[in-house]
Amino acid sequence: MQNITVVGSGVMGKGIAYTCAVSGFNVYLNDINEEILEKAKKDIFSLLEGSLQKGFISEDQYGKAKDRLLFESDLETAAKNADLVIEAVLEKMELKIDIFKRLDRICSKETILATNTSTMSPTEIGAQTSRPDKVVAMHFFNPVHKMKLIEVIRGLETSDETVKLVKEVGERLKKETVEVNELPGFVTSRMNCLIGNEAMNMLMEGVASAEDIDKALKLGLNHPMGPLELADLVGLDTRLRNMEYLHQTLGEKYRPSPILLKYVKAGRFGKKSGSGFYHYS
């Protein structure tokens, strides 16, 4: 397991690509949008330089990581020699299925296909391929290079060998892994979405300010980040898609807060758009 292709060069995709390259893997980062791909390249190289200056990586790691990273808009070129492909595109099932169908045709029969979804079904995705035993979910957390966990979600047909190999990749990335049997939202997203949604409802009801709600959970419950600032970091549009999926699959307790719907309609997506529950310069 040496060659990894990451499909999608947004926040998660470039974080996964950076972490894999620093950990010794050869990495292709793929995106159909050349402009977004070029921005991802600049962001990853900037992160590498910052990590070098702060002493998190050595000169040798820095040079080798840059050499291992390739950026490619053509999916076939990027994925044809991959041992592992990690898809990190928008949380839209039809988009993920389309990508997995294409990867199934492009990649070797031995290639493992992973989705970085936080809520969606690897069983449903795998069923659209000829290799459901080699389809799995690898749920990374943002920022990827700092967060220590990968949820490894086993679909109905995912083989023990696939889970074993993916866990070994996690170890090489210096991450802890937890194995989860698939149900919508897995472990972390089910809990996180409930907490975040309740925080949004409390803000809407005037229980406390966003700052005080976040401060209460950080200092009173020892959360490293408040639920509203975390939602801004994830992206409110992404959180809304997750909530809608969980509402559809798990029921009424996951109905998205009205304030989340209002903010997304207004284009307030969180940190990436400059405003959400907080304002960013």
Side-chain angles (χ1 to χ4, degrees), residues 63-75:
K64 286 181 177 177
K66 286 189 77 171
D67 291 342
R68 292 189 192 106
L69 279 161
L70 293 170
F71 301 84
E72 177 56 60
S73 59
D74 180 71
L75 183 61

Side-chain angles (χ1 to χ4, degrees), residues 155-193:
L156 182 64
E157 304 291 344
T158 307
S159 70
D160 292 342
E161 180 67 11
T162 294
V163 171
K164 174 177 174 289
L165 290 170
V166 165
K167 285 184 173 181
E168 288 174 359
V169 170
E171 288 176 11
R172 288 181 62 184
L173 298 178
K174 297 180 174 58
K175 307 293 186 188
E176 296 287 337
T177 60
V178 293
E179 184 177 336
V180 180
N181 292 314
E182 179 199 322
L183 273 173
F186 319 138
V187 173
T188 55
S189 292
R190 281 181 70 167
M191 294 302 299
N192 190 39
C193 283

Side-chain angles (χ1 to χ4, degrees), residues 124-140:
E124 184 177 350
I125 294 169
Q128 312 303 314
T129 74
S130 64
R131 65 182 88 194
D133 60 313
K134 294 187 180 298
V135 174
V136 67
M138 293 178 72
H139 180 205
F140 290 81

Side-chain angles (χ1 to χ4, degrees), residues 10 21 35 47 63 81 88 137 142 179 191 195 228 234:
E35 186 176 338
L47 182 56
N81 295 317
N142 185 29
E179 184 177 336
M191 294 302 299
I195 293 168
L228 298 175
V234 168

Side-chain angles (χ1 to χ4, degrees), residues 4-18 20-21 26-34 36-45 68-75 77-79 86-89:
I4 294 179
T5 296
V6 180
V7 181
S9 64
V11 171
M12 295 305 296
K14 61 191 175 188
I16 295 167
Y18 166 90
C20 291
N26 301 318
V27 181
Y28 262 109
L29 181 58
N30 165 259
D31 200 298
I32 58 171
N33 188 313
E34 294 273 9
I36 293 174
L37 191 61
E38 184 60 31
K39 182 181 185 304
K41 181 178 181 178
K42 290 177 181 176
D43 289 346
I44 291 171
F45 285 178
R68 292 189 192 106
L69 279 161
L70 293 170
F71 301 84
E72 177 56 60
S73 59
D74 180 71
L75 183 61
T77 301
I86 303 172
E87 164 271 311
V89 302

